[in-house]
Amino acid sequence: MRPTALITGSSRGLGAAIARELAPTHDLVLGARSAASLEAITAELPGSTSWPVDLTDYDAVAASVPVNKLNVLVHNAGIADLGTIEESSVDQWRRTFEANVIAVAELTRVLLPALRAGGGHVVLINSGAGLRANAGWGSYAASKFALRAFGDALRLEEPSLRVTSIHPGRIDTDMQREIVAGEGGNYEPSSFLKASTVARAVRTAVETPADAHPTEVVLRPTGR
């Protein structure tokens, strides 16, 4: 019987790339906000299951948990709402922490019985911003520092699980294009990591033999 992997934010970009990497070896449950957004990736990957749910609607999440046994949980969904501390509003901070930390913590909590049953591996798509904060990235970096702390605590509390924090630099995705446009810069794809490269790092972490625990993976773009 093939292992099962649930990937959030899997309709496009990095999430879709991770789904493609894991599809040959895993049964996939692909999460996103709407069923329509998942149509293309589920059609591309026959046998995958669509799980449309707003991860910040905690009652809906709890009511629709799609598995009783889970081998891999990839937390990829998140937002990047950038701005200086002077420009940032209370709502921005709340939205960022809700999407990037609280929703992750609650989905993990709800899925803990399934993860324990599957000897599961939790993969947190963090960021270079989870290791260092830059000007204009305060609320986002703070949420990613918090996500790293969540992973550290989960690793200690659940010794039967593996927990890996992936810290990629900036990735060539639609979200990155929006960020660069907001910064007023010119978009040069070769300046960023390929989504497929980060997805391969996720697969490598998942496929690490059981005698090792890959706790953190840091990737930086080379510009090549």
Side-chain angles (χ1 to χ4, degrees), residues 9 12 21 32 43 50 52 122 133 137-138 162 169 186-187 203 211 214:
R12 59 177 185 154
E21 281 289 333
S50 174
V122 179
W137 293 64
R162 294 199 292 183
N186 294 319
Y187 195 84
R203 188 189 73 187
D211 63 309

Side-chain angles (χ1 to χ4, degrees), residues 14-102:
L14 178 57
I18 295 169
R20 294 183 188 105
E21 281 289 333
L22 296 184
T25 53
H26 290 73
D27 292 329
L28 300 180
V29 179
L30 303 180
R33 283 179 177 269
S34 70
S37 69
L38 287 164
E39 287 177 357
I41 189 66
T42 52
E44 178 186 341
L45 302 174
S48 60
T49 300
S50 174
W51 187 48
V53 66
D54 180 348
L55 294 175
T56 63
D57 184 342
Y58 304 118
D59 290 339
V61 169
S64 64
V65 167
V67 289
N68 295 318
K69 182 178 180 180
L70 185 61
N71 305 99
V72 178
L73 171 59
V74 181
H75 286 289
N76 173 70
I79 64 171
D81 190 358
L82 307 181
T84 66
I85 291 170
E86 181 181 19
E87 296 166 342
S88 300
S89 66
V90 170
D91 284 344
Q92 177 187 338
W93 281 85
R94 284 177 175 158
R95 284 194 308 272
T96 300
F97 270 77
E98 191 83 31
N100 294 354
V101 185
I102 299 171

Side-chain angles (χ1 to χ4, degrees), residues 79-158:
I79 64 171
D81 190 358
L82 307 181
T84 66
I85 291 170
E86 181 181 19
E87 296 166 342
S88 300
S89 66
V90 170
D91 284 344
Q92 177 187 338
W93 281 85
R94 284 177 175 158
R95 284 194 308 272
T96 300
F97 270 77
E98 191 83 31
N100 294 354
V101 185
I102 299 171
V104 170
E106 178 59 7
L107 178 59
T108 305
R109 187 191 69 80
V110 169
L111 287 172
L112 274 177
L115 286 163
R116 291 167 181 155
H121 192 156
V122 179
V123 179
L124 303 166
I125 303 301
N126 201 296
S127 168
L131 300 172
R132 64 192 179 282
N134 292 319
W137 293 64
S139 60
Y140 179 76
S143 73
K144 292 300 189 178
F145 269 70
L147 183 63
R148 184 185 182 198
F150 167 78
D152 290 346
L154 181 66
R155 195 178 296 116
L156 294 172
E157 292 174 7
E158 298 290 334

Side-chain angles (χ1 to χ4, degrees), residues 168-170 190-193 219-224:
R170 296 171 73 160
S190 64
S191 298
F192 307 114
L193 291 162
L219 301 171
R220 295 179 180 175
T222 62
R224 297 198 301 268

